Amino acid sequence: MRLLTAAVASLALMVGAQTVSAAPVEIKFSHVVAENTPKGKMATKFKELVEERLAGKVEVKVFPNSQLFGDNKVLEAMLLGDVQMAAPALSKFQKYTKQLQIFDLPFLFKDMEAVDRFQNGPDGQKLLGSLQKKGLVGLGYLHNGMKQLSASQPLKTPADAEGKKFRIMTSDVLQAQFEAVDAVPLKKPFSEVFTLLQTRAIDGQENSWSNIYSKKFFEVQPYITESNHGLLDYMVVTSAEFWMQLDDDLRVEVKKALDEAIVYGNSIAAQKDAADKQAIIDSKRSEVIEISDAERAQWVKAMKPVWKKFEGQIGKDLIDAAVAANK
Ligand code: SIN
């Protein structure tokens, strides 16, 4: 009996020791952009905050520049448990929900303040739950900025885009947007864009100033039209399976750190947008084309019919709510 008690006690000690020395929860955070971008900096800040506050309990490993997964694979990998967090562009979720297509509608938001109002309002917050049925949890929105059009030829009016090949993200709305100006859209991963532009396999692409600068697209695209025609923002996501198996107290702390990192990322996005645009101008590698109000009106007229095409999938009320955020 005494022997049995001793055995039970030593087993308990072993289990206890195992609990004490349990490996920290690992969060692999995969993204496709450079470290010196709003998303790159947000991910680094998240890692710092988690490791400062949850040392030994949670470890964050950030993989930038598509090192681990491209955006076209990362969500599948997340559902398989191979990566725990990512922040794909909102344009890359259409396989999982049609509602997020709203963020791709051309000329929907007049500026980033309007985007903020919509994302922070009831409709934007509800959209964070739109991936739930697919096993994904939307943890928050992160800004990059408005998209500009870069090309091998100057683009001032929609007629200039006719017949030209543009790389787009995996979004049917973006496809329709370029087809609306008789251009040829091609869905390609972000990691391939520089080479496609450099080899002239494509004529142009759309992106934020920070991506055009950090990925050196401006070095191989002699013209950038400041069109501000669409939004490049992100949703930070995790899998429901990973999120729910975290201990409650850890989940609360990880979410708190993420919220703070997102606030930080959003606070530097506008400043990076302006600084990277200026760096491109200063480089003299690419001419930044400003369009007149009349020219802009032509782009709006050509592209806006895309809204009607996707109204059924997105929902008219949701589009109306986004438009209302402009006021
Ligand atoms: C990103 O900013 O995460 C990538 C955007 C793109 O694919 O163009």
Side-chain angles (χ1 to χ4, degrees):
M1 185 63 190
R2 204 180 277 167
L3 256 181
L4 186 66
T5 316
V8 170
S10 70
L11 185 67
L13 264 178
M14 274 167 63
V15 172
Q18 259 178 10
T19 312
V20 170
S21 62
V25 173
E26 186 180 72
I27 299 181
K28 289 191 194 130
F29 193 129
S30 170
H31 68 82
V32 299
V33 293
E35 282 165 297
N36 189 23
T37 56
K39 183 158 57 181
K41 284 176 163 280
M42 181 283 282
T44 306
K45 173 67 98 190
F46 172 60
K47 176 182 167 67
E48 283 165 10
L49 292 175
V50 166
E51 292 187 358
E52 192 182 293
R53 296 170 188 175
L54 298 169
K57 294 185 187 166
V58 182
E59 196 183 335
V60 178
K61 288 187 182 152
V62 181
F63 298 88
N65 295 310
S66 312
Q67 270 166 20
L68 192 59
F69 293 107
D71 270 346
N72 297 340
K73 287 272 174 288
V74 75
L75 296 177
E76 285 167 34
M78 187 170 279
L79 292 170
L80 292 172
D82 293 335
V83 61
Q84 288 68 42
M85 274 195 196
L90 290 163
S91 318
K92 294 179 181 172
F93 288 99
Q94 76 169 29
K95 220 171 110 187
Y96 298 85
T97 173
K98 298 291 178 209
Q99 281 196 308
L100 292 178
Q101 294 183 121
I102 187 164
F103 291 104
D104 279 342
L105 294 179
F107 298 103
L108 179 64
F109 295 109
K110 70 170 189 197
D111 52 30
M112 294 308 289
E113 284 73 32
V115 174
D116 257 334
R117 280 193 289 275
F118 177 69
Q119 289 180 347
N120 294 330
D123 295 292
Q125 289 300 299
K126 209 164 145 202
L127 285 177
L128 288 174
S130 62
L131 302 160
Q132 208 174 354
K133 280 199 193 120
K134 302 288 178 180
L136 296 168
V137 181
L139 296 171
Y141 294 103
L142 175 71
H143 292 328
N144 188 320
M146 290 292 176
K147 287 182 292 188
Q148 319 302 338
L149 285 168
S150 76
S152 48
Q153 302 290 323
L155 303 176
K156 291 206 115 190
T157 66
D160 298 327
E162 200 180 312
K164 298 209 164 48
K165 291 188 196 131
F166 288 87
R167 175 269 174 173
I168 55 164
M169 293 182 270
T170 46
S171 154
D172 291 349
V173 177
L174 299 181
Q175 181 175 338
Q177 168 195 278
F178 279 102
E179 285 171 353
V181 294
D182 296 319
V184 184
L186 298 162
K187 291 176 181 164
K188 295 283 178 190
F190 186 59
S191 55
E192 291 178 21
V193 182
F194 181 85
T195 307
L196 289 168
L197 294 171
Q198 189 185 37
T199 57
R200 297 284 166 112
I202 55 172
D203 302 291
Q205 62 89 47
E206 52 167 15
N207 234 304
S208 63
W209 290 115
S210 97
N211 280 349
I212 294 173
Y213 180 64
S214 59
K215 287 292 174 191
K216 302 191 189 311
F217 299 162
F218 70 102
E219 293 185 2
V220 288
Q221 290 274 268
Y223 301 97
I224 305 171
T225 303
E226 187 165 28
S227 50
N228 290 313
H229 63 282
L231 173 71
L232 176 61
D233 258 18
Y234 308 111
M235 191 183 282
V236 185
V237 285
T238 187
S239 78
E241 194 179 336
F242 169 74
W243 197 236
M244 293 323 294
Q245 55 99 53
L246 282 179
D247 288 346
D248 289 352
D249 53 338
L250 279 192
R251 193 183 317 113
V252 167
E253 282 302 316
V254 169
K255 178 69 167 58
K256 205 164 146 242
L258 182 68
D259 288 346
E260 286 177 41
I262 288 177
V263 168
Y264 167 74
N266 285 345
S267 76
I268 59 164
Q271 168 214 325
K272 275 224 69 56
D273 199 56
D276 291 350
K277 174 185 164 188
Q278 193 55 48
I280 292 170
I281 294 171
D282 294 346
S283 77
K284 299 193 168 37
R285 300 288 295 265
S286 189
E287 183 188 330
V288 173
I289 300 171
E290 283 176 25
I291 49 175
S292 66
D293 288 349
E295 286 161 345
R296 188 175 161 83
Q298 288 188 48
W299 289 98
V300 175
K301 188 166 174 235
M303 289 179 164
K304 217 168 150 181
V306 167
W307 292 23
K308 202 82 204 143
K309 215 170 156 189
F310 289 87
E311 196 179 271
Q313 290 180 29
I314 297 169
K316 186 169 181 328
D317 289 353
L318 199 57
I319 298 177
D320 290 345
V323 172
N326 284 322
K327 292 173 195 127

